[in-house]
Amino acid sequence: QAQLVESGGGLVQPGGSLRLSCAASGFSLDTYVIGWFRQAPGKEREGVACISRRGATTYYADSVEGQFTISRDDIKNTGYLQMNSLKPEDTAVYYCATGRRAACGSEYLRGLWNEYWGQGTQVTVSS
């Protein structure tokens, strides 16, 4: 059964860092774009970052550009999101997703082209 499982979320103080992981099982990630999305309470889901197959291209939402870094390790069948200088407004449930029907970019971050979604991991930034 194909699935994605996120991990690495938690409570962190403002200015801190977290690294989220997205482990795939039941399928191989290497032919998929990997994306990270987040949803804060009372807000719409937001696409924050994506990485193309083989990692040649990355794309970030303006809100996280220079703050987050997306990466992938296809040998480990895992994607990552390194989040630095975290702010309270980064508090959200973070989801990873994978798809093959759109290239990594602004269109992909609309979140309409994914085949698999993880269950989400909570990130809370608070002092």
Side-chain angles (χ1 to χ4, degrees):
Q1 181 179 355
Q3 65 176 348
L4 297 172
V5 178
E6 301 97 335
S7 61
L11 174 64
V12 63
Q13 292 187 341
S17 298
L18 284 175
R19 187 195 197 203
L20 305 184
S21 297
C22 172
S25 61
F27 71 104
S28 180
L29 267 179
D30 61 357
T31 61
Y32 289 79
V33 174
I34 301 172
W36 286 92
F37 301 80
R38 67 185 181 184
Q39 188 163 22
K43 294 188 176 182
E44 293 187 353
R45 184 184 63 200
E46 175 189 18
V48 296
C50 61
I51 185 167
S52 64
R53 292 174 289 177
R54 294 185 289 277
T57 301
T58 57
Y59 185 88
Y60 299 91
D62 289 344
S63 57
V64 305
E65 178 79 51
Q67 181 190 1
F68 291 3
T69 302
I70 190 171
S71 60
R72 64 190 298 157
D73 185 335
D74 291 333
I75 295 175
K76 294 182 178 179
N77 220 28
T78 301
Y80 303 96
L81 186 69
Q82 177 68 43
M83 306 186 295
N84 297 328
S85 302
L86 284 163
K87 299 169 280 190
E89 51 263 44
D90 295 315
T91 295
V93 178
Y94 284 72
Y95 301 88
C96 69
T98 60
R100 292 180 294 188
R101 292 175 286 178
C104 172
S106 59
E107 176 64 22
Y108 178 86
L109 288 188
R110 293 177 64 202
L112 304 176
W113 307 105
N114 293 298
E115 296 171 46
Y116 303 110
W117 288 85
Q119 83 290 348
T121 185
Q122 175 70 47
V123 171
T124 302
V125 184
S126 175
S127 55

